[in-house]
């Protein structure tokens, strides 16, 4: 999303105001945006013509003609959304009011290369698109969260760890060609942060959202908007060096990264070294729930390692909230350890009003972020008056 797309009075901004209930009529938008009535009317009409808004019923009069009410169509536009992990994919359709339809989980091995992954993803999204059309919903766009660096301007994947063949792969263009729809691709942690912010913390302006699963990622919300940084790598805490990792080699080619001691993959590997069968986050959570001592210790240690890196982030960025998402955030020992380290190492001014909590949206946070971002891009493409 460019700065021009995000400006006051843009089509995307108008949709946000109506979806949030901040504006229910053209007159409300005129007052909210401070624009001429003719300008607002023209932009609203473009959105109505595109099927992104509808006018239905009449509101209370304020001394003149009763205004027609604006709303998001219940059976209107949806985006197909995919939240990809290295070994799984969650897909669903997301509406402008953040309703999520027809979610499903699929085995999905990104490490096998882009060809097989693209075939599977396109097939599943194509089936989802048909289901939405059969339900009377208009499919407008596709949003994809990818577990690695992404050039959001081009939809290309940039040098992801553990994923041979993906560097500079044009995932956005390839999916667009297969599905015949506009496609937005972004880092999965960024989109999870956007979804969690919109759905659970819309009043907050500054927060950090961590995705702790097989790997570790983080998204940053600054000034109420997703912040990607100069090159799109803002929030990448996975490859920060930590003392506990010592000289352990990391998939990024460096040594001593946080990911090597605090990710789900690292915890599962340590459990196997200890003679305990564990393949991924689901096994780790089961073991912790059963009170298995080594699993609980490793998860608590991972939380302390993550908290140590986040303490620098909190002191530097001073967010209003740190939100812990991803599969491992369901483990209370991890959340408690992160919280303890942040209170131990951060300045009192930085933590006095800081919220530290598990994510509220569960596995749909990434879908919400991907779907909403894709719909905003769709709205930004609506021609202005």
């Amino acid at each position: 999303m460019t700065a021009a797309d995000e400006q006051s009075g843009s089509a995307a901004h108008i949709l946000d105001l109506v979806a949030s209930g901040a504006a229910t009529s053209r007159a409300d938008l005129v007052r909210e945006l401070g624009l001429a009535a003719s300008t607002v009317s023209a932009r609203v009409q473009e959105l109505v013509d595109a099927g992104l808004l509808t006018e239905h019923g009449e509101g209370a009069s304020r001394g003149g003609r009763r205004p027609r009410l604006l709303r998001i169509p219940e059976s209107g536009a949806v985006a197909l959304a995919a939240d990809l992990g290295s070994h799984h994919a969650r897909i669903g359709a997301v509406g402008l009011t953040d309703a999520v339809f027809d979610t499903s989980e699929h085995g999905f091995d990104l490490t096998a290369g882009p060809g097989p992954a693209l075939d599977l993803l396109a097939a599943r999204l194509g089936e989802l698109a048909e289901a939405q059309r059969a339900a009377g919903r208009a499919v407008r766009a596709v949003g994809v969260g990818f577990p690695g660096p992404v050039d959001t301007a081009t939809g290309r994947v940039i040098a992801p760890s553990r994923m041979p063949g993906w560097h500079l792969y044009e995932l956005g263009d390839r999916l667009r060609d297969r599905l015949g729809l506009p496609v937005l691709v972004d880092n999965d942690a960024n989109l999870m942060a956007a979804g969690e912010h919109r759905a659970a913390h819309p009043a907050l302006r500054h927060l950090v959202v961590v995705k702790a699963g097989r790997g570790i990622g983080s998204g940053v919300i600054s000034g109420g908007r997703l912040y990607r940084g100069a090159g799109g790598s803002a929030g990448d805490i996975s490859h920060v060096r930590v003392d506990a990792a010592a000289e352990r080699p990391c998939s990024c080619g460096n040594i001593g990264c946080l990911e090597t001691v605090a990710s789900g993959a690292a915890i599962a590997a340590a459990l196997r070294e200890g003679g305990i069968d564990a393949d991924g986050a689901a096994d780790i959570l089961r073991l912790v729930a059963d009170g298995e001592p080594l699993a609980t210790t490793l998860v608590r240690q991972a939380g302390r390692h993550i908290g140590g890196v986040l303490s620098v982030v909190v002191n530097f960025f001073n967010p209003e909230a740190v939100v812990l998402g991803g599969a491992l955030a369901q483990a209370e020992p991890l959340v408690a350890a992160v919280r303890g380290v942040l209170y131990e190492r951060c300045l009192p001014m930085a933590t006095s009003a800081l919220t530290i909590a598990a994510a509220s949206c569960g596995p749909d946070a990434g879908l919400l972020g991907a779907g909403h971002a894709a719909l905003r891009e769709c709205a930004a493409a609506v021609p202005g008056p």
Side-chain angles (χ1 to χ4, degrees):
M1 185 70 61
T2 66
D5 294 331
E6 294 180 339
Q7 67 186 357
S8 177
S10 68
H13 189 197
I14 288 172
L15 280 181
D16 282 344
L17 291 172
V18 175
S20 67
T24 60
S25 68
R26 298 187 189 212
D28 286 349
L29 288 170
V30 169
R31 284 189 293 270
E32 188 76 25
L33 300 172
L35 299 175
S38 59
T39 300
V40 168
S41 182
R43 291 179 182 172
V44 167
Q45 192 58 51
E46 293 283 355
L47 291 168
V48 170
D49 292 343
L52 299 173
L53 279 182
T54 186
E55 288 183 298
H56 179 75
E58 294 183 333
S61 171
R62 297 191 179 184
R65 188 169 57 185
R66 291 165 65 88
R68 299 196 68 193
L69 296 177
L70 293 170
R71 64 182 178 85
I72 304 296
E74 292 182 4
S75 60
V78 296
L80 309 179
D83 185 15
L84 307 182
S86 60
H87 289 77
H88 78 281
R90 184 174 179 83
I91 70 170
V94 177
L96 285 160
T97 57
D98 293 338
V100 182
F101 308 99
D102 301 322
T103 59
S104 59
E105 294 268 358
H106 305 274
F108 196 78
D109 188 4
L110 288 178
T111 64
L118 179 68
D119 289 341
L120 179 59
L121 183 58
R124 296 292 177 263
L125 289 173
E127 293 166 1
L128 179 63
E130 290 304 313
Q132 301 318 297
R133 292 169 183 137
R137 304 183 190 108
V139 180
R140 299 291 185 185
V142 179
V144 177
F146 187 89
V150 173
D151 180 347
T152 55
T154 64
R156 287 183 175 181
V157 177
I158 307 295
S161 301
R162 306 183 308 277
M163 297 179 196
W166 281 96
H167 180 51
L168 298 182
Y169 188 76
E170 297 171 332
L171 180 57
D173 287 347
R174 302 294 182 94
L175 271 180
R176 183 196 62 204
D177 293 342
R178 293 284 191 100
L179 300 172
L181 292 164
V183 177
L184 175 141
V185 184
D186 201 344
N187 172 261
D188 61 335
N190 279 347
L191 292 178
M192 188 186 77
E196 184 72 20
H197 176 241
R198 176 179 170 84
H201 305 281
L204 299 185
R205 303 286 291 168
H206 310 286
L207 66 156
V208 175
V209 181
V210 176
K211 184 174 184 179
R214 192 175 189 88
I216 302 173
S218 176
V220 177
I221 302 295
S222 179
R225 297 194 181 280
L226 180 64
Y227 179 73
R228 296 186 179 92
S233 64
D236 188 352
I237 63 171
S238 186
H239 301 290
V240 173
R241 188 162 184 173
V242 295
D243 291 341
E247 301 298 311
R248 296 190 187 193
C250 181
S251 59
C252 72
N254 212 327
I255 58 172
C257 296
L258 175 66
E259 180 177 289
T260 66
V261 292
S263 65
I267 295 171
L271 286 168
R272 291 193 297 271
E273 289 174 5
I276 298 173
D277 187 27
D279 182 52
D283 293 331
I284 295 168
L285 293 174
R286 173 181 51 79
L287 290 166
V288 171
D290 290 344
E292 205 292 317
L294 179 59
T296 302
T297 296
L298 290 171
V299 166
R300 187 176 290 115
Q301 288 176 346
R304 290 193 63 82
H305 297 324
I306 294 170
V309 173
L310 287 178
S311 66
V312 178
V313 175
V314 168
N315 277 333
F316 181 79
F317 179 52
N318 191 203
E320 296 161 277
V322 171
V323 179
L324 303 171
L328 289 183
Q330 298 175 53
E332 177 54 32
L334 183 138
V335 178
V338 171
R339 184 182 292 114
V341 171
L342 289 180
Y343 282 126
E344 173 188 321
R345 299 189 186 182
C346 293
L347 295 169
M349 181 178 290
T351 58
S352 61
L354 179 68
T355 297
I356 307 166
S360 302
C361 297
D364 285 344
L367 294 183
L368 287 168
H372 179 60
L375 288 170
R376 282 181 62 90
E377 287 288 331
C378 184
V382 172

